[in-house]
Each structure stands twice: as C-alpha cells, then as structure tokens.
Amino acid sequence: MFEKILIANRGEIACRVMATAQSMGIACVAVYSDADRAAKHVAMADQAVHIGGSKPAESYLRADVIVAAALACGAEAIHPGYGFLSENPDFVEAVETAGLVFIGPSASAMRAMGLKDQAKQLMQAGGVPVVPGYHGDNQEPAFLSQQAAEIGFPVLIKAIAGGGGKGMRLVTQRSDFAEALASAQAEALSGFGNGAVLIEKYITTPRHIEIQVFGDGAQAVHLFERDCSLQRRHQKVIEEAPAPGMTPEMRAAMGQAAVTAAQMIGYKGAGTVEFIVDASDGLRPDRFWFMEMNTRLQVEHPVTEAITGVDLVAWQLHVAFGAPLPLMQAALSINGHAIEARLYAEDPANDFLPATGRLSHLRLSPLARSDSAVRSGDIISPYYDPMIAKLITYGDDRSQSITRMVDALDNYYIRGVNHNISFLNALMVHPRFVKGDLTTNFIADEFPDGFHADLVVQDDPAIAVVVAASVHQLDCERAGLLSDQLEGHEVEPSNDWIVAIADQHRSVQVSLTDTGYLVELDGQDCHVVTQWSLGDPLFKAVINDVSVSVQVEPAVSGYRLFYRGAEINARVISPRAADLMKHMLFKPPVDMSKFLLSPMPGLLVKLSVNEGQEVKEGEELAVVEAMKMETTIAASKTGKVKSIVLLEGSIVEQNDVVVEVE
Ligand code: ADP
C-alpha cells in the first residue's frame, strides 16, 4: 500500500479521506489556503503545505503548485476529493507526468464523460437509455427551437459543460424558447467558458436516482442506488439508499446500465452514474434515462457505505495501488436503510441565502455519523461551500433511519451562523416524505413560499407547552432563592402559569418532582422525567414515555424552542399578566419598506441607481455578492431614491441599509 498520499482538497471530504487513509497506516499530507491555516483538515494531517491565497483559483485549483507540493514531501499519490480539480483530466495528466498516482479514473475516462452531449452520444451507442433530445453540434437558435418542438414541450435546455444546475432552463412553450436559450447560453459561457447546450425532454414527475459504480480498470461492479430526489434548485438536500419503492427488476436494469457505462470507458475507481426517472406511474424498469456520470467520489457516498458495509475510500486506495476490486457483484448486498442530510450555513427564512461568520457553538449530534470539518469557534468563510456537516443515519428500515435522523437533528446544536437544521427536520417529518412520495419538485411543491420554521405546525403542541412550563418553573425556583431581594418585591413562588404560543393561551400547573416535573395541562398529568439543568440549551426528557430533545433559548418573557422543524416562541406568564394582556392595544410594526436592506453579508458589487432617480417596484437597485452568488436588491415599491447609504465596493452586513426610497 502507499506510505504517503496528498489530499488535494479541503473541508469535510479532506477529513473523510484522511480518516480512512490514516486508519490504513498511510501518512496524509494536507494542502491549505490562507483562509484555512487553522482548519481541521490541516490539524488532522500528518503534514501540511501552504499553497496560496484564499480564493480557490489562488490555491485549491492550482494543479502545478499541488503537484510540486506532493513531490516535495515525498507523497506517492494524490486524492482529489470532489469539486476543485477532481474532474479535471489535465490535472490527472499533470499528476501522472510527475510520476505520481492519481487516485481516480484515467484522463481519457474523464474526458469521455466530461461533456454532457458527448457522454450521451457514447451511452446511446452502448445501448444505455438516454433522455430523448438533441445532443448535436448545431447551435443555431432557429434549429434548436425546431428540435425542441419535435421533442415536444416541456423541454430542458442544458449547458453541455454545466454543473450544479447552472446553464439549465425549463421551457414550457415555444414562444419562450429563444429567450431561455439566450440566457442559458450566456450563463454557461460565463460559468464554464463554453456556451454550447443540448435540449432534452423534461420529465414531469422526475426522480433523481443514481448508481454507485466501482471499477478496477478491467472489471466494474455497482453498489446499488441512491435516491437524491429531494433537491432545491437542482441541488441535492437529502439523499437516501436504497430508493423508496425500488423494485428488484428496476434495480437490476439500472445497475446493469451503470456497469455498462463504466465498462465502456475502462473505468477505474469510484464513480456515479446519474439517471432521471419518470415516477408518474411508480418505478418501472423502462422509465429511467442516463443523465451524466460523475467521475469521482460523491458528497452522498456515505449512505452507500452504510447499507453495503464498504468503505469506498479504502476501495479507492486499493484500486489506485493496483489491486483488483475487493468484492465482486455477487458478494455485494443491501442491508438496512440510510439517509444523509446536508447541513448548511444558510438562512432558510431568507430564501436560503448563504450565511457566513463564526460558529460560536457547535455540538455535533452523538446520534449519527457526522462528516464535518468545522469545530466550535471556526469561521464559515465566503470563499468555499458553506456546508457545516453531513449527517448520516442508518436503521433496519427507512422509518427507523428517519426517526434517527429526526432525533439526530434535534440534538445538533449550532449557534453563531444561520443554518438549515429546522428545514431539514421539517422535511424529515413531512407526511409526504415519510410516505416516500418523492420527486425533484418536492420542495418547490411543498414549500412554495419558502421555509418558515415559525409556521411549522406540530402534531403535538403540548410538548412545547410542557417544556416551556418546566423550564420556567426551574427558572423561578432559582430566582426565588436569590439573596438580597427588595423587601415587598420578593419573587413569589407560584405554580400556576399561562403558556402563550402565538395567540393561544394554555394554562398549566407545574411542580418539581424527584425525577423532573409534573405538569398539569388541560386537566391531564404530564410526567416529565429529566436531568436537565438550567443553562443547558438542550432540554432532553421523557414526557409521558416519549423521548424528546428540545433546544431552548431564553427570549422576551419566555423561550424560543426548536423542535422537529418548528421554531416556537413560548411566553410563560402569570394568569394575571395574561388577563391584562387581553386589554393591551396592538401597535402595528413600523413600516420599513422604504429602506432597502442587504439580504446577506457580502460585497456590494453594483449600485444600479442614483440619488433622485425614479424607480418602479421590482426594479434592480443594487447587487450584493457572497459565496460566488449574486443577489439583486429590488425596489419593494415605486418611488424616488432619497439617498444612497452605502457605496459600490463596500462590505455589507446582513440588514445593512443600502438605499432609501421615498
Ligand atoms: P447538473 O450537472 O447541472 O447538476 P444534471 O444534468 O445533473 O445537471 O441535472 C440536475 C438535476 O436537474 C437533476 O437531478 C434533476 O433534478 C433535474 N433534471 C435534469 N434533467 C432533467 C430532465 N430531463 N427532466 C426533469 N428534470 C431533470
């Protein structure tokens, strides 16, 4: 086996690769940029080499610098991880020319799958089903429009060099085609330096099901499927294996097609063949089509590891070292069910804009595999993918792995940056998800107005009432013990409270017991057994024999509770205060619509208006950029620009006022 390898990547995947390599006795060399000097992957490595500035182009994308680093420290091989240089055949050649081993497929296999149109032509020739469409060279708009009409609307325009959903447009009627084509081409040209597109039939009840393949250059096997249908804007959010509703016939047909694809290009290493599936009539062996092949390890590989018991990184290392496949097809089988959730630093309540900043608190959940490269105190920087962790749960069946994911998410504690834990949990407990009724439109269909944790309704709001009352009781007992209380104003011990959640008032009676609390709610006794102590943000208890973990944060005259995808404000007040509140006047919130605020922290890259200019509702006022994503700030009403508060080029914080309109 290799004695030393270099990992040409960062973040969780660098840590993931190192964990396996180090357990096999292989020394690991990390590379790092300026922003990553103190990163976990650097701390974990046996040796680390600084390779340049924080921007990927100045460090993680510099093939020459990385190869030189590997040579200088005596590494024999380079693992590319995913992203960055992992699918770049020129990098493979540079590594091999330097006399090193590239842990992955050959440059020619990568090239064969590099462009979507060529890959589709190749697969079609090999008898692998591909989505009906036009994959040729002719890029004349009139010709492509004619092709689209022949395929039949709706169609999808896709950049042949695309990735991450960029350069992709859905067109539902011919009159919209020309405009959609122009914008897809422009996006593809600026994003990938290649404006060419292909046209394919849009599958209207689509599921994304992919097959993990593995080759040793001579033979190939598949390690079954992953369902990645839960996507937001064509980006995967939840992945699972096996796919809900998969039949043995369809699995065999998809596995065979994927192995054929791998064999046609003499594939060596881990790869994924992605298929789009028409699920309008359940899963059927004649309703799947090749989309593309990713010639690398995928983000979601852990779910496959969980159900097959295979360490895919260990297999990558063996095969790269020249060994044959460790197991053949007949020796591979599926055991149980696994789910992965991608935990991001982002703001679900604010159209999922990426978030940056310091993770003031991070407590990984002990209930699941967490692949993560950040620790408490680390910074989520604007330079790289804002993923905090991948959470993977495993169970005997799908329902057990879902239950474990729900518990694991409830136990994951993050503060300092916005994150999507509540959103992930709301997906997990969604009845349609639980049923396994998935399509790639799930999130768009079920959350048409975005995600608002405040509005997630709990099956059993009593949990929130009981937890808020219990926490409050302990708070009061402690306040009652404080010394030097002002005479006549001592904290009166009380057991009667009103818990106010939204406009619902529930009256409770709470008392401490030897094992926790007794809460009387609506004439019923709730026994709360807990060891919880004040100050612990995680309230773990057994309430009438049901285990719950609720995150509790102090808030104005009460608490903010985080539980199963819901974020609930619960005020705990005396019956007298509740009575008085009924007579209080409602004061409408101040109208802030004339102030245009930056929706996220970042760089103000463009100011599109001048002071005194008339603007219409919806008109672009400014553009903010963060995480390589541009977001337009538009006028929320028609008016005149009163003042420009921040100048082009300024660094902005979230909610900074950029422009005032009158
Ligand atoms: P990218 O490389 O940009 O990620 P893909 O070709 O992998 O693009 O497609 C990304 C996603 O777009 C898929 O997972 C699926 O949700 C959707 N998609 C792609 N092709 C089709 C199609 N023909 N019909 C319906 N949805 C599609």
Side-chain angles (χ1 to χ4, degrees):
M1 188 35 69
F2 302 116
E3 282 176 15
K4 195 189 245 190
I5 64 170
L6 179 141
I7 292 121
N9 215 301
R10 64 174 304 283
E12 67 88 16
I13 192 60
C15 297
R16 159 73 194 94
V17 172
M18 275 188 241
T20 289
Q22 287 173 334
S23 76
M24 292 166 69
I26 302 170
C28 292
V29 182
V31 291
Y32 63 94
S33 67
D34 286 347
D36 277 340
R37 271 176 206 283
K40 183 176 161 192
H41 78 280
V42 176
M44 211 175 142
D46 300 282
Q47 202 177 336
V49 183
H50 176 245
I51 51 166
S54 301
K55 290 187 185 139
E58 295 168 0
S59 48
Y60 298 106
L61 288 173
R62 290 181 65 188
D64 52 339
V65 177
I66 292 173
V67 171
L71 290 172
C73 52
E76 305 141 72
I78 297 186
H79 193 301
Y82 55 68
F84 297 130
L85 294 167
S86 64
E87 291 184 280
N88 182 333
D90 298 339
F91 180 57
V92 179
E93 278 163 359
V95 171
E96 289 171 352
T97 307
L100 303 169
V101 175
F102 178 78
I103 303 172
S106 64
S108 68
M110 256 182 208
R111 287 208 175 93
M113 291 294 175
L115 293 176
K116 289 184 204 282
D117 60 338
Q118 285 170 19
K120 283 192 168 135
Q121 286 161 16
L122 181 70
M123 289 302 110
Q124 211 159 16
V128 174
V130 304
V131 190
Y134 176 72
H135 315 132
D137 290 337
N138 192 338
Q139 298 287 313
E140 279 295 313
F143 174 81
L144 290 176
S145 169
Q146 180 56 33
Q147 288 294 319
E150 280 169 28
I151 295 163
F153 289 95
V155 299
L156 209 53
I157 303 174
K158 275 189 193 178
I160 63 162
K166 270 209 176 136
M168 198 146 93
R169 294 289 183 280
L170 170 63
V171 190
T172 50
Q173 52 188 16
R174 191 158 183 180
S175 55
D176 298 341
F177 187 84
E179 198 186 325
L181 177 68
S183 87
Q185 285 171 328
E187 193 171 294
L189 194 62
S190 79
F192 313 108
N194 181 346
V197 297
L198 58 83
I199 315 287
E200 63 183 38
K201 177 89 196 140
Y202 179 72
I203 311 297
T204 38
T205 313
R207 271 173 75 175
H208 173 122
I209 302 183
E210 59 187 32
I211 304 282
Q212 174 73 53
V213 290
F214 219 102
D216 59 12
Q219 306 197 70
V221 294
H222 71 85
L223 290 98
F224 314 105
E225 78 278 6
R226 292 187 286 259
D227 192 312
C228 311
S229 299
L230 244 63
Q231 306 182 344
R232 208 180 58 77
R233 295 200 187 130
H234 305 301
Q235 298 279 6
K236 297 165 186 168
V237 178
I238 304 281
E239 298 102 342
E240 58 183 303
M246 179 56 86
T247 63
E249 298 76 49
M250 180 147 178
R251 176 174 294 133
M254 293 185 79
Q256 188 50 53
V259 168
T260 302
Q263 272 165 345
M264 280 176 74
I265 54 171
Y267 200 72
K268 190 169 169 178
T272 295
V273 183
E274 296 191 329
F275 295 99
I276 190 92
V277 170
D278 175 356
S280 55
D281 194 15
L283 293 184
R284 294 181 29 181
D286 59 348
R287 298 262 177 101
F288 71 89
W289 300 276
F290 172 89
M291 269 195 303
E292 64 171 347
M293 178 166 182
N294 291 322
T295 50
R296 53 174 166 83
L297 195 65
Q298 303 241 123
V299 176
E300 58 273 25
H301 75 276
V303 291
T304 300
E305 297 189 317
I307 61 157
T308 58
V310 167
D311 181 326
L312 288 168
V313 174
W315 276 35
Q316 286 188 302
L317 293 166
H318 281 297
V319 165
F321 194 66
L325 282 171
L327 293 175
M328 294 315 290
Q329 197 66 53
L332 290 162
S333 60
I334 298 179
N335 260 306
H337 193 100
I339 299 186
E340 174 180 282
R342 298 189 189 193
L343 233 136
Y344 279 106
E346 62 184 17
D347 190 357
N350 196 2
D351 202 19
F352 295 89
L353 290 177
T356 53
R358 193 179 291 281
L359 284 163
S360 58
H361 295 84
L362 174 69
R363 204 198 284 173
L364 305 186
S365 173
L367 303 176
R369 168 173 167 181
S370 280
D371 283 14
S372 169
V374 287
R375 300 150 299 185
S376 238
D378 281 351
I379 286 179
I380 303 285
S381 82
Y383 300 109
Y384 315 111
D385 184 81
M387 188 152 76
I388 299 173
K390 303 184 317 206
L391 208 57
I392 304 103
T393 54
Y394 173 77
D396 294 337
D397 55 21
R398 185 167 189 266
S399 111
Q400 195 177 46
S401 62
I402 293 177
T403 306
R404 289 186 174 162
M405 182 60 82
V406 172
D407 287 342
L409 287 166
D410 274 345
N411 276 276
Y412 218 107
Y413 182 72
I414 301 175
R415 290 294 178 272
V417 296
N418 287 320
H419 56 76
N420 63 345
I421 288 185
S422 293
F423 175 60
L424 295 173
N425 230 349
L427 292 173
M428 285 297 129
V429 301
H430 196 292
R432 198 179 135 190
F433 177 76
V434 172
K435 263 201 337 213
D437 175 10
L438 312 175
T439 75
T440 58
N441 303 323
F442 183 102
I443 292 174
D445 289 349
E446 301 299 328
F447 300 93
D449 305 318
F451 175 68
H452 302 284
D454 294 347
L455 304 180
V456 175
V457 181
Q458 289 296 297
D459 291 345
D460 190 4
I463 301 268
V465 174
V466 169
V467 171
S470 303
V471 171
H472 185 70
Q473 191 65 30
L474 196 62
D475 240 346
C476 291
E477 303 273 342
R478 197 180 62 161
L481 297 176
L482 292 177
S483 55
D484 296 331
Q485 299 194 32
L486 200 58
E487 224 178 280
H489 293 271
E490 294 90 351
V491 175
E492 293 274 355
S494 168
N495 300 87
D496 289 322
W497 303 108
I498 301 289
V499 180
I501 295 178
D503 51 8
Q504 257 197 53
H505 285 198
R506 309 282 291 267
S507 85
V508 290
Q509 275 209 323
V510 197
S511 48
L512 293 180
T513 64
D514 289 345
T515 53
Y517 310 88
L518 179 70
V519 182
E520 199 191 309
L521 170 67
D522 302 333
Q524 301 215 336
D525 282 351
C526 292
H527 296 275
V528 184
V529 178
T530 180
Q531 299 278 315
W532 185 79
S533 54
L534 264 180
D536 187 343
L538 206 60
F539 185 91
K540 288 167 81 81
V542 176
I543 301 179
N544 288 350
D545 298 327
V546 179
S547 292
V548 296
S549 303
V550 180
Q551 294 189 18
V552 183
E553 234 173 44
V556 184
S557 64
Y559 308 91
R560 189 158 172 80
L561 308 175
F562 303 78
Y563 177 60
R564 311 232 144 161
E567 294 179 13
I568 300 165
N569 280 320
R571 276 175 308 157
V572 188
I573 47 184
S574 67
R576 167 111 183 99
D579 227 27
L580 288 172
M581 262 175 55
K582 286 186 199 144
H583 306 291
M584 273 181 356
L585 288 175
F586 173 73
K587 197 170 152 212
V590 187
D591 179 14
M592 289 289 287
S593 63
K594 63 180 182 163
F595 296 107
L596 278 305
L597 314 178
S598 173
M600 60 182 183
L603 183 68
L604 188 62
V605 287
K606 183 174 166 204
L607 265 173
S608 324
V609 289
N610 297 313
E611 267 173 32
Q613 190 176 326
E614 300 284 346
V615 289
K616 287 208 179 63
E617 183 180 330
E619 191 174 329
E620 174 181 302
L621 300 182
V623 179
V624 180
E625 186 200 89
M627 303 275 186
K628 293 176 274 172
M629 196 172 118
E630 289 195 347
T631 300
T632 301
I633 305 178
S636 57
K637 52 177 154 186
T638 299
K640 189 161 139 197
V641 176
K642 184 172 174 205
S643 65
I644 304 270
V645 184
L646 288 169
L647 297 178
E648 215 165 84
S650 321
I651 299 285
V652 291
E653 292 298 327
Q654 185 176 14
N655 291 337
D656 273 359
V657 177
V658 179
V659 173
E660 187 183 343
V661 177
E662 60 184 356

